[in-house]
Amino acid sequence: MLLINKLFAGGVAVPHRKNTAEMETVVMDTPSKVIIPMAQHSGPPCRPTVKKGDIVKVGQLIGDSDAYISAPIHSSVSGIVKRVEPMLYASGHLVISVEIEADNKQELSEDIKAPSVNNREQFIEAIRGSGLVGLGGAGFPSHVKLNPPKDKKIDYLIINGAECEPYITSDYRECIEFAPYIIKGIQLVLDMLEIPRAIIGIEDNKPKAISLLKEKSKNDSRISVYSLRSRYPQGAEKTLIYTVTGRKVPPGKLPADVGCLVFNVNSISFMAKYVETGIPLIKKRVTVDGPVVREPKNVEVLIGTSIGDVFEFSGGFLSKPYKVLMGGPMMGIAQYSLETSVIKNTNAILAFDKNEGDLPPETPCIRCGRCVAACPMNLLPHEINRFVMAGRYNELDKFHILDCIECGSCSYVCPAKRHLVQSIRLGKDAVRRNAKKA
Ligand code: SF4
Ligand code: SF4
């Protein structure tokens, strides 16, 4: 097969700071309580299926929805439901959540059994039941991805192991610790969806993961492993597709429109584990790092554990953190409370001092064009910023603002320290609101 490994336009060279890469994942003890939000995926939130006072077991269904773009939610502990009400969520909003006081027995629900998977329909149904969403950060329900419209012929399964954000090593550890499951998961999807080939894309700063996956996949000619240039945002879906297939996903279109399905390495590995055990998505590997974290590490955390508890498990802080992020430094969401919970797509929690966490003051744009050169989506960030600041929201469509993937490359390179990505987010919200009104 002809191997394509193209260079995407734009992007930035960021420091890797993969301090935890060679640290084996440590399993955190069951916390005294978990708070499990009902919104852990794209699409409408789930409706709680339990109430205050109910006794629940590990893996028991506690939230579900009739909406197609949604994914069920399961209890990560055994214990008693203490509250079902709106609680603080990682985005800063209040979201209906289920608080469970753990009994420390971790009794498994009787409902758990390995699913029967003999054909495409059974496979998709099983993955829906597992509660799997994109574990790379997007949170898109995986069963929906596995079921593209009938008229879209998929000829590439692409596995995203790029992990281009600084600090985060959660995907890398999955490659090192669970490579056989990644390969099994790929083979499952190839077989069930009758896709002819798969490409695993990993940045070239992870040579051990690349050689391990090459070794584990050597007997399956359908699977190739690509070593990709280390350049942020290599792991963004559209840039990855272009890099490994040469295909461009048009604005407003999806990977399936160009014959591709993309899954994160953790997601594909989970599929194989789920088919083997029937244990739904109740835990997550989280990279805990940053200059003020005493003992950076990768931690296997039960979903619903507070980020404060996870930092505590990592030795606490060397000094009071100035900024805490859920996610990487380029795309992560700042947290104002340590009470928020780890959810399905949390891949890192990072804590910074003022030196690294402070947002520098803006100065006027000098029209140097660096933001334009850095944008992987070929947008004009300085112009969008200008229109947003002037409140000219009705004119933003012409700049294709909704194509922005919020990678932050523009802000990263701007010598005037313009808050470009922040203003673009505001602009996108305004455009969506206007569209809804119309
Ligand atoms: S990089 Fe900053 S200063 Fe340069 S054009 Fe863009 S917004 Fe203006
Ligand atoms: S405009 Fe959006 S896509 Fe382009 S560099 Fe900035 S954040 Fe990334």
Side-chain angles (χ1 to χ4, degrees):
M1 193 206 317
L2 178 67
L3 297 188
I4 298 172
N5 200 340
K6 286 188 171 284
L7 301 182
F8 66 89
V12 288
V14 291
H16 300 140
R17 300 195 183 159
K18 305 279 189 184
N19 309 316
T20 55
E22 298 315 322
M23 296 180 187
E24 204 170 324
T25 309
V26 185
V27 179
M28 185 176 161
D29 298 336
T30 308
S32 57
K33 71 167 188 196
V34 289
I35 292 179
I36 305 180
M38 294 290 106
Q40 300 191 40
H41 47 260
S42 317
C46 285
R47 201 181 47 251
T49 56
V50 289
K51 58 183 186 321
K52 185 178 170 181
D54 284 357
I55 303 289
V56 293
K57 293 190 175 171
V58 176
Q60 183 178 326
L61 185 79
I62 58 166
D64 208 347
S65 166
D66 297 332
Y68 179 55
I69 300 185
S70 184
I73 293 171
H74 304 83
S75 178
S76 56
V77 295
S78 60
I80 181 164
V81 176
K82 294 302 244 186
R83 288 192 294 160
V84 180
E85 59 189 47
M87 295 180 220
L88 185 65
Y89 186 60
S91 64
H93 299 102
L94 293 177
V95 161
I96 189 93
S97 306
V98 175
E99 180 183 317
I100 305 168
E101 185 181 276
D103 60 12
N104 242 326
K105 296 182 192 154
Q106 287 306 80
E107 277 182 87
L108 215 54
S109 163
E110 297 77 19
D111 298 337
I112 289 178
K113 57 174 192 302
S116 172
V117 171
N118 299 307
N119 55 46
R120 178 192 177 113
E121 287 70 32
Q122 284 181 346
F123 178 56
I124 294 171
E125 191 50 37
I127 296 303
R128 186 196 182 278
S130 75
L132 180 62
V133 302
L135 299 181
F140 192 77
S142 300
H143 69 98
V144 180
K145 246 190 199 183
L146 287 169
N147 196 17
K150 296 275 179 290
D151 60 327
K152 310 280 180 221
K153 187 177 158 15
I154 304 297
D155 47 12
Y156 279 109
L157 170 65
I158 299 169
I159 305 304
N160 191 349
E163 203 163 52
C164 52
E165 277 247 22
Y167 289 103
I168 309 179
T169 59
S170 168
D171 289 350
Y172 175 72
R173 288 314 307 172
E174 190 68 19
C175 296
I176 299 298
E177 295 172 28
F178 293 100
Y181 279 101
I182 295 173
I183 303 305
K184 263 193 212 171
I186 292 172
Q187 289 167 333
L188 248 177
V189 177
L190 292 182
D191 292 344
M192 292 294 154
L193 272 65
E194 296 177 354
I195 300 172
R197 66 205 129 197
I199 299 171
I200 308 172
I202 303 181
E203 280 195 342
D204 57 13
N205 59 0
K206 305 171 191 75
K208 253 168 82 176
I210 293 170
S211 55
L212 185 58
L213 285 163
K214 276 189 176 165
E215 166 63 26
K216 299 291 177 197
S217 62
K218 68 178 183 212
N219 294 327
D220 193 332
S221 60
R222 299 172 298 173
I223 305 173
S224 312
V225 183
Y226 282 21
S227 169
L228 312 174
R229 176 180 64 147
S230 296
R231 187 166 180 84
Y232 181 84
Q234 179 66 80
E237 208 165 56
K238 289 186 178 182
T239 51
L240 181 64
I241 290 171
Y242 177 71
T243 306
V244 301
T245 68
R247 297 177 184 178
K248 288 187 178 173
V249 183
K253 297 288 181 188
L254 295 170
D257 291 303
V258 296
C260 298
L261 267 193
V262 185
F263 285 103
N264 169 268
V265 282
N266 268 292
S267 304
I268 203 85
S269 177
F270 173 83
M271 289 184 204
K273 292 174 193 165
Y274 178 71
V275 166
E276 195 174 292
T277 65
I279 298 176
L281 185 56
I282 54 164
K283 59 187 182 184
K284 189 70 208 292
R285 180 186 300 103
V286 177
T287 301
V288 189
D289 202 349
V292 300
V293 174
R294 195 178 299 276
E295 298 163 12
K297 47 169 70 100
N298 273 295
V299 187
E300 185 185 287
V301 182
L302 292 172
I303 286 167
T305 305
S306 77
I307 60 171
D309 282 351
V310 185
F311 279 123
E312 200 55 45
F313 181 74
S314 306
F317 300 118
L318 293 165
S319 58
K320 193 171 183 299
Y322 181 78
K323 183 181 272 180
V324 170
L325 291 180
M326 192 176 271
M330 299 298 283
M331 292 186 75
I333 302 172
Q335 302 296 303
Y336 64 83
S337 165
L338 297 180
E339 289 288 305
T340 48
S341 309
V342 167
I343 58 170
K344 292 177 181 179
N345 59 1
T346 307
N347 50 12
I349 52 172
L350 308 175
F352 297 92
D353 51 20
K354 191 170 192 308
N355 191 27
E356 291 208 26
D358 207 6
L359 206 56
E362 290 183 295
T363 58
C365 170
I366 55 171
R367 301 191 74 76
C368 65
R370 285 189 207 174
C371 55
V372 180
C375 180
M377 304 310 291
N378 300 314
L379 303 178
L380 301 174
H382 63 312
E383 284 297 292
I384 301 177
N385 177 248
R386 191 162 70 85
F387 276 67
V388 171
M389 298 315 285
R392 294 165 68 179
Y393 300 123
N394 292 337
E395 297 166 71
L396 288 171
D397 267 344
K398 68 182 175 201
F399 295 110
H400 303 282
I401 187 171
L402 294 182
D403 287 343
C404 169
I405 56 172
E406 300 179 17
C407 67
S409 300
C410 49
S411 301
Y412 185 79
V413 295
C414 176
K417 307 296 176 203
R418 305 288 306 159
H419 300 167
L420 298 171
V421 67
Q422 292 88 339
S423 68
I424 293 170
R425 280 186 186 145
L426 284 176
K428 284 171 82 173
D429 268 1
V431 168
R432 289 197 183 108
R433 270 200 311 274
N434 285 348
K436 224 174 175 178
K437 267 191 224 156

